[in-house]
Amino acid sequence: MSAPADSKPAEPVAEVVATPPAPRQFPWIKAAPWLYTIALFVIWEASVHLFALPQYVLPAPSVILGAIIQYWPTIWTNSVQTLYTTLVGFAMAVAGGLALGLLVGWSRFIYAGLYPLMIGFNAIPKVAVVPILVIWFGIGDVPAILTAFLIAFFPIVVNVATGLATIEPEMEDVLRALGAKKMDVMLKVGIPRSMPYFFGSLKIAITLAFVGSVISETIAANSGLGHMMLAAQSQFNVPLVFAGLIMLAIEGIAMYALMAWIEQRTTGWAHRSGMAQGN
Amino acid sequence: MTSHLVTIDNVDMRYGGPGGTLAVSGLTLHVDKGEFTAVVGPSGCGKSTLMKLVTGLHIPQVGAITVAGKEVTEPVSIVGMAFQNPTLLPWRTTLDNILLPLEIVQRHRRRLRANKAEYVEKAEHLLETVGLKGFGDKYPWQLSGGMQQRANLCRALIHEPDLLMLDEPFGALDAFTREELWCVIRDLHHETDVTIQLVTHDLREAVFLADRIFVMSARPGRIIDTHSVPFERPRDLEVMYTAEFTDLVHDLRGQIAQARTEQLEAAQ
Ligand SMILES: Nc1ncnc2c1ncn2[C@@H]1O[C@H](COP(=O)(O)OP(=O)(O)O)[C@@H](O)[C@H]1O
Ligand SMILES: [Mg+2]
């Protein structure tokens, strides 16, 4: 990327009408996510009391909070474990996905050959792969990492390849007419152009990576939130199961927000130029 | 022979191998150095194909194309191109977009780093010529369609091509912006010795700008007529409201309409 758009202050051009300063009032839109989350928990808490639901069916948020506090050391180690396997798998997916995406987008031949294979591979439920990974690598971190990798890597490949494949033919003609080689077209246009697609796919990929590592942990692991929830379930400790869910949600949201922030920082130009993919 | 910058000699171009689309057939034309020619014809007749043949993006199966005395067998970097779609890169400023060809063309690419200031000055001068002075540090999405097309012209000209190929460059613009850009192109042609070939479906545009107009048949395209445009240069927009101008436009229109009907009849 030669010049990220936000490195220079962008003054409005003459024909862009400056918006008048908004009157000061409560920022409803900004507050909406918090308000809705609070509402969800309030309704949840109220319903549990109203319908007198037993704790082993649906524990109230207050009970779950109690469980989080009570089991904090366990929850913390397992949360860190899940975060660790997820992030390692995700990092591998980023490296592998970027490399394969560039390769696939590079040549029609590679694209035509690999695409059906990748579709087929992606169609396999990853839960079915875990037993094989266990045979190969035993119970532990490795199957969780690899499952996270396998499930997260596909959207990255597809997005990077899409960015490369959708170069305007006119742009390519202009450059080729000047004597540009394939490599020039890739470096000057293809790769910068596929970056918004790549960074856009990270949000999806990190979410999927959590799915992968937790699947693997519930099948074959001695630690991690998935394992912890499975153990808690077998002891009918339903509040702890829900505590694990809440921790997964928190980690997922935090990582998603991080990826969204990275996307915003790196490829702001795509949003302003309207080139961003719709997601 | 020697004064022709472009010679297209009895060229056939077929897409997609034997049995594919025959886009042009028996295409022959010459363009002199410094001349402004226009190509008109029914849509799909192979006008863009002609552009791509001259720039070396496609190599014909039959016949030969010569540009500046050399047979075209690969892309020729003495040519600049601009299309209807301005295709400016949204992550580069307008100035950096204009400098892009210099990062590609071999003879400039080696000097670019050391002589950046000189090239930037040249780009700024071009921006001024097309009426975009001071817009170099804007991003393309901050520019209107007409301004983007002006920047596109600068990009096509930055490496000082001998031949400028324009493929319906003003097709997407409103009538007034289009007229402004006609004047920009007219002045560019007047001030430099660049040879310009313009593909257009706007017959008034062709007559206003060109010295000679080639009329193409329906696909497979070939030249069915060549008109010399008699108006003195420099031309004023007012020339479009003379009877002579209207007659020429009318003639062209008739020829293209006829080519279209023949094609429709042949298809039946
Ligand atoms: N890359 C291509 N592959 C196959 N057919 C093509 C290709 N480019 C153009 N054609 C066909 O060649 C014919 C002429 O196309 P083109 O030169 O773009 O026409 P024009 O610019 O006059 O509208 C059309 O029938 C078009 O469908
Ligand atoms: Mg065309």
Side-chain angles (χ1 to χ4, degrees):
Chain A
M1 204 109 347
S2 54
D6 29 13
S7 67
K8 279 178 199 166
E11 300 150 22
V13 192
E15 60 232 64
V16 178
V17 185
T19 43
R24 282 196 171 275
Q25 49 168 249
F26 188 73
W28 284 107
I29 303 290
K30 273 223 158 101
W34 303 103
L35 296 177
Y36 276 69
T37 310
I38 292 168
L40 172 72
F41 282 109
V42 168
I43 293 170
W44 181 352
E45 183 83 35
S47 311
V48 170
H49 290 294
L50 195 65
F51 301 111
L53 290 176
Q55 216 177 67
Y56 57 84
V57 175
L58 183 67
S62 55
V63 176
I64 298 171
L65 184 65
I68 293 179
I69 296 168
Q70 185 187 346
Y71 299 107
W72 181 249
T74 320
I75 291 175
W76 174 249
T77 25
N78 286 306
S79 298
V80 171
Q81 168 68 17
T82 299
L83 191 62
Y84 158 72
T85 52
T86 303
L87 286 183
V88 175
F90 174 72
M92 288 166 60
V94 167
L98 197 54
L100 193 63
L102 291 177
L103 195 69
V104 167
W106 183 277
S107 120
R108 285 257 193 82
F109 179 67
I110 300 176
Y111 181 87
L114 280 184
Y115 203 71
L117 281 180
M118 292 198 309
I119 296 286
F121 185 76
N122 192 49
I124 299 173
K126 295 302 168 296
V127 65
V129 183
V130 178
I132 301 172
L133 294 176
V134 173
I135 294 173
W136 289 346
F137 302 104
I139 286 178
D141 293 356
V142 181
I145 290 173
L146 288 182
T147 315
F149 161 71
L150 289 176
I151 202 168
F153 129 111
F154 191 74
I156 301 180
V157 175
V158 171
N159 270 275
V160 172
T162 306
L164 294 182
T166 50
I167 299 177
E168 292 100 333
E170 291 99 339
M171 187 72 232
E172 209 171 335
D173 281 345
V174 165
L175 294 184
R176 285 210 305 122
L178 294 166
K181 301 283 175 290
K182 183 90 189 173
M183 192 65 173
D184 295 317
V185 177
M186 281 292 159
L187 287 177
K188 300 292 179 198
V189 184
I191 293 175
R193 196 193 139 73
S194 66
M195 285 302 110
Y197 294 85
F198 167 67
F199 285 109
S201 73
L202 295 186
K203 291 182 298 195
I204 305 160
I206 189 70
T207 317
L208 289 175
F210 272 108
V211 174
S213 57
V214 173
I215 283 177
S216 181
E217 282 168 3
T218 44
I219 297 175
N222 300 318
S223 57
L225 285 174
H227 172 74
M228 184 194 84
M229 287 162 68
L230 200 70
Q233 179 233 36
S234 66
Q235 296 156 14
F236 282 101
N237 190 345
V238 181
L240 183 55
V241 175
F242 275 85
L245 277 186
I246 298 286
M247 289 311 292
L248 277 176
I250 291 173
E251 290 190 348
I253 291 174
M255 287 300 125
Y256 185 96
L258 180 65
M259 295 307 143
W261 180 79
I262 292 175
E263 181 189 9
Q264 195 59 43
R265 284 304 303 269
T266 45
T267 50
W269 58 263
H271 291 274
R272 260 157 287 166
S273 68
M275 198 196 95
Q277 49 178 344
N279 64 23
Chain B
M1 175 72 204
T2 44
S3 75
H4 297 321
L5 183 68
V6 180
T7 310
I8 302 181
D9 194 13
N10 212 8
V11 158
D12 286 11
M13 172 71 207
R14 191 187 284 280
Y15 287 107
T21 313
L22 184 60
V24 299
S25 177
L27 185 67
T28 300
L29 65 82
H30 310 281
V31 175
D32 288 337
K33 211 166 163 23
E35 202 180 12
F36 197 138
T37 57
V39 180
V40 297
S43 74
C45 72
K47 302 184 294 295
S48 299
T49 303
L50 188 159
M51 292 276 142
K52 288 174 189 171
L53 286 167
V54 173
T55 46
L57 289 171
H58 293 316
I59 307 300
Q61 287 86 16
V62 178
I65 293 163
T66 314
V67 172
K70 276 204 288 278
E71 187 170 341
V72 176
T73 52
E74 59 175 7
V76 262
S77 64
I78 62 156
V79 181
M81 286 182 106
F83 297 96
Q84 176 169 333
N85 177 356
T87 63
L88 299 173
L89 301 175
W91 57 90
R92 284 174 172 243
T93 62
T94 304
L95 188 77
D96 285 337
N97 264 291
I98 294 170
L99 294 175
L100 177 66
L102 304 174
E103 298 168 22
I104 306 287
V105 175
Q106 283 300 337
R107 65 177 185 283
H108 292 293
R109 143 187 230 166
R110 273 179 255 117
R111 314 184 53 234
L112 182 61
R113 196 179 287 267
N115 302 278
K116 184 83 189 241
E118 171 197 326
Y119 284 114
V120 167
E121 195 178 316
K122 207 160 96 185
E124 307 248 338
H125 176 73
L126 272 174
L127 278 170
E128 194 175 340
T129 319
V130 302
L132 274 187
K133 190 173 158 75
F135 282 90
D137 58 355
K138 294 279 184 284
Y139 285 88
W141 37 268
Q142 294 175 301
L143 306 181
S144 67
M147 291 157 108
Q148 291 188 23
Q149 202 50 274
R150 287 166 203 252
N152 187 17
L153 282 177
C154 294
R155 185 180 63 189
L157 290 165
I158 187 74
H159 61 296
E160 296 181 347
D162 296 331
L163 177 61
L164 180 62
M165 305 292 281
L166 304 173
D167 192 350
E168 305 192 359
F170 313 130
L173 304 176
D174 67 272
F176 284 105
T177 310
R178 206 180 306 164
E179 287 186 1
E180 274 167 32
L181 280 163
W182 290 351
C183 296
V184 167
I185 286 286
R186 173 198 64 191
D187 297 342
L188 255 171
H189 180 244
H190 182 69
E191 285 155 20
T192 61
D193 48 11
V194 67
T195 309
I196 303 183
Q197 186 153 42
L198 166 76
V199 164
T200 179
H201 51 236
D202 184 336
L203 303 176
R204 294 166 72 241
E205 175 174 304
V207 177
F208 175 66
L209 286 171
D211 301 313
R212 280 196 303 150
I213 300 174
F214 301 112
V215 184
M216 281 177 81
S217 70
R219 188 169 64 82
R222 67 196 154 76
I223 307 299
I224 48 175
D225 201 2
T226 307
H227 296 262
S228 289
V229 183
F231 309 113
E232 289 280 303
R233 287 185 185 279
R235 292 176 196 163
D236 190 87
L237 284 171
E238 285 304 315
V239 77
M240 292 194 291
Y241 302 97
T242 63
E244 245 184 315
F245 189 96
T246 316
D247 286 346
L248 187 44
V249 170
H250 196 237
D251 273 3
L252 289 168
R253 197 187 167 283
Q255 285 180 319
I256 293 168
Q258 169 134 23
R260 283 175 57 115
T261 352
E262 280 166 11
Q263 183 185 31
L264 289 176
E265 278 164 6
Q268 275 163 9

